[in-house]
Amino acid sequence: MGRQHRGSRSRSRHAEVERLLSRTPPPWVDPSPDAAASIERSIDEATQTPIPIELPWLRQTRWGGLVAAAVAVAAVGAFTYVIGHMSPVPTSAPIALSLAPERPLVVFPAESVVTPGAQAEARAASVASRVGRPLESEMELVRRDTQRAVGQVFSRLPIFEPR
Amino acid sequence: MSGATSEQLAVRAASGDVMARRCFGELVERYHARLFNFLLRRVRSRHDAEDLTQETFVRAWNRIRSYNPTWRFSTWLFTIGSRLAITHHRRSRDPVGGNVVEGLSERAPSERRARGGIWALAAACLTPEQHEAIWLRYVEELAIAEIAMVMNKSQVAVRVCLFRARQALAERLPAPDQQDVDAAPRVAAALAGGM
């Protein structure tokens, strides 16, 4: 009975406080008369100065920073996963630039670097002094090696696995 | 334009057309005094409150494109103001919203406080957080969800904060002798005797 009485009294006091808060105007302080003009001036100045770049989609979400951090971590993880699966490049498939030393493209005579006259001679005779395959064949070899290397790298990725 | 709601004006200001600046000027006129009085309770001086009011409007103008019209413009504006007040207190290393505001301080003469009635009692005995919640609820007439957004709290936390504020006021308010009596003299007595 006593508890009920206390509860009822408490509720009535709360209601009275609520009534007073709703009806009583708060002490109001008028801002200084030139404050509004000062605000307008500041806004005009802000309009003329460039606005820094923002990412509004980050600010609109409550957890924008967390989402951005999670995306960054996921991106780094994906990059690391792909790189981890791409390397090391298989040694059985040499990439195009590793041409075999026994197949040099062009060989200049040793004396061609000694005198200008000999250089001219060597330049004229360079086609004749080429050893091994002709240039077109070398390029074809390079292209084939590259295709093979790229094919092997991509075949290691799960999305390129044959079903 | 004066017949348009604040939300309509804000959307127009965000559109960036030739009337955008004028629409925002209208919003400044509508909310200037309200925002100033809200911030005056959060900071220690009139000068700081005016600076923060100006900063709030400049920031609101710069970010008007991020305004979401599903919320009331006042909620959005007061949220910016509240965040700036927190930053201001961090910079000045003062506790948030001390009650020592010029003209509203607890050291003001009791007759002046009595004129403020229940609000003077609230300024004197509530925590800054409770006072902010009470102000937003009964002066700005914001909904619980809107107060939660401004104060960056959950709705439950806001309800609890409001309940405790009303309880603190109820405990300090002397019992009424008559039901229909004006409460100002009782509040004045409470302020003069109990504080």
Side-chain angles (χ1 to χ4, degrees):
Chain A
M1 190 69 183
R3 190 180 296 172
Q4 279 181 354
H5 178 65
R6 274 203 303 277
S8 148
R9 195 175 58 188
S10 171
R11 272 196 299 278
S12 71
R13 298 302 298 277
H14 272 255
E16 192 194 356
V17 166
E18 197 153 4
R19 184 181 62 82
L20 285 172
L21 287 168
S22 302
R23 290 186 184 176
T24 314
W28 202 252
V29 179
D30 289 325
S32 56
D34 57 338
S38 173
I39 290 171
E40 293 288 344
R41 268 199 309 277
S42 303
I43 291 170
D44 287 336
E45 284 169 15
T47 308
Q48 286 158 11
T49 52
I51 301 168
I53 296 170
E54 292 180 15
L55 296 172
W57 59 272
L58 269 181
R59 294 180 183 280
Q60 279 170 7
T61 58
R62 191 171 180 177
W63 301 99
L66 199 61
V67 169
V71 168
V73 167
V76 169
F79 181 76
T80 311
Y81 176 80
V82 169
I83 291 296
H85 276 71
M86 284 178 74
S87 64
V89 176
T91 50
S92 61
I95 294 183
L97 295 179
S98 62
L99 292 174
E102 66 273 13
R103 288 188 272 111
L105 284 176
V106 178
V107 176
F108 288 99
E111 63 272 19
S112 66
V113 295
V114 178
T115 62
Q119 271 185 349
E121 270 183 44
R123 216 175 287 126
S126 64
V127 175
S129 66
R130 187 179 293 148
V131 177
R133 295 161 186 263
L135 190 60
E136 288 77 15
S137 301
E138 291 293 339
M139 290 307 292
E140 185 59 34
L141 193 66
V142 165
R143 196 176 295 119
R144 208 167 50 235
D145 285 347
T146 308
Q147 282 175 353
R148 193 170 58 204
V150 170
Q152 284 195 2
V153 167
F154 276 91
S155 69
R156 282 173 160 255
L157 295 177
I159 54 170
F160 289 98
E161 274 178 4
R163 297 188 175 185
Chain B
M1 195 164 65
S2 59
T5 65
S6 300
E7 289 70 34
Q8 288 168 338
L9 287 172
V11 169
R12 191 77 191 273
S15 70
D17 64 7
V18 287
M19 293 292 286
R21 178 67 188 83
R22 205 171 150 199
C23 288
F24 196 78
E26 173 79 19
L27 288 170
V28 171
E29 200 174 310
R30 286 188 191 182
Y31 288 95
H32 177 211
R34 286 167 62 180
L35 183 64
F36 170 74
N37 273 276
F38 169 69
L39 291 170
L40 191 58
R41 271 78 188 174
R42 305 277 320 260
V43 296
R44 287 175 176 270
S45 74
R46 181 189 181 102
H47 179 74
D48 287 347
E50 284 182 348
D51 280 354
L52 278 177
T53 306
Q54 180 171 322
E55 204 177 335
T56 303
F57 277 115
V58 170
R59 188 165 289 198
W61 169 246
N62 283 338
R63 297 180 180 181
I64 190 70
R65 284 170 199 276
S66 68
Y67 167 66
N68 180 357
T70 55
W71 292 94
R72 279 204 284 180
F73 178 75
S74 58
T75 307
W76 186 70
L77 186 70
F78 279 72
T79 304
I80 296 174
S82 182
R83 302 285 192 280
L84 285 174
I86 291 169
T87 310
H88 170 83
H89 284 296
R90 279 185 191 147
R91 273 192 214 135
S92 60
R93 296 182 182 280
D94 282 337
V96 174
N99 289 325
V100 193
V101 177
E102 287 169 16
L104 301 166
S105 77
E106 55 192 349
R107 286 182 228 163
S110 59
E111 61 270 22
R112 184 167 187 168
R113 281 185 279 151
R115 273 188 301 187
I118 190 81
W119 287 104
L121 187 61
C125 71
L126 297 184
T127 66
E129 198 172 62
Q130 288 172 344
H131 191 268
E132 184 184 359
I134 287 281
W135 184 276
L136 291 171
R137 181 74 176 140
Y138 294 101
V139 179
E140 293 302 329
E141 296 178 345
L142 298 187
I144 299 291
E146 293 171 320
I147 298 171
M149 185 182 171
V150 173
M151 295 180 70
N152 199 20
K153 288 185 176 301
S154 68
Q155 292 189 34
V156 174
V158 169
R159 281 182 200 279
V160 169
C161 190
L162 284 170
F163 177 81
R164 287 184 179 155
R166 282 193 296 261
Q167 194 172 32
L169 290 172
E171 282 169 3
R172 284 163 179 79
L173 200 65
D177 296 330
Q178 302 162 20
Q179 286 299 319
D180 56 346
V181 72
D182 182 15
R186 284 187 287 126
V187 173
L191 285 164
M195 296 296 110

